[in-house]
């Protein structure tokens, strides 16, 4: 009887160790994934308005939006993206030297439409 009990205890310990390893692996995988924004399908930092999600800018458009924004506000450009919540099609997120964050909205002709202060979450 004690042999059977010993084997059952061993089997239970092995099963518990395997199950705990799976839980730890799942937790590590989930921790490595970025958190979502207001829309679960939007990449981190971007949001969706009326079914349109902001998209990162690249190439010549990104260079022109960056240059336009930095002529208006000095600082570090955090990201450049399309703008889904105003008439200006582009925006640059800039962190100023004092640590405040602003969004510079840029028109189709690469003129600055507005500069908006951002609150910290």
């Amino acid at each position: 009887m004690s042999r059977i009990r010993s084997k059952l205890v061993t089997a239970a310990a092995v099963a518990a160790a395997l199950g705990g390893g799976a839980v730890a692996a799942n937790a590590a995988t989930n921790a490595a994934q970025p958190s979502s924004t207001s829309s679960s399908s939007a990449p981190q930092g971007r949001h969706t308005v009326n079914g349109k999600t902001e998209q990162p800018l690249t190439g010549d458009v990104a260079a022109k939006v960056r240059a336009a924004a930095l002529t208006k506000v000095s600082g570090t450009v955090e990201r450049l993206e399309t703008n889904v919540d105003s008439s200006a099609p582009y925006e640059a997120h800039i962190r100023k030297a004092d640590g405040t964050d602003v969004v510079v909205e840029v028109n189709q002709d690469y003129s600055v439409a507005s500069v908006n202060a951002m609150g910290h979450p």
Side-chain angles (χ1 to χ4, degrees), residues 63-116:
K64 290 178 181 180
V65 170
R66 177 186 300 272
L70 289 174
T71 60
K72 196 72 166 174
V73 177
S74 62
T76 302
V77 176
E78 298 290 321
R79 67 182 186 272
L80 302 166
E81 59 197 8
T82 57
N83 185 4
V84 296
D85 46 8
S86 85
S87 61
Y90 311 118
E91 63 185 32
H93 291 254
I94 297 178
R95 175 151 300 151
K96 295 172 30 174
D98 66 3
T100 59
D101 294 319
V102 297
V103 174
V104 180
E105 294 182 332
V106 178
N107 292 314
Q108 187 77 35
D109 65 357
Y110 303 107
S111 63
V112 173
S114 67
V115 177
N116 302 302

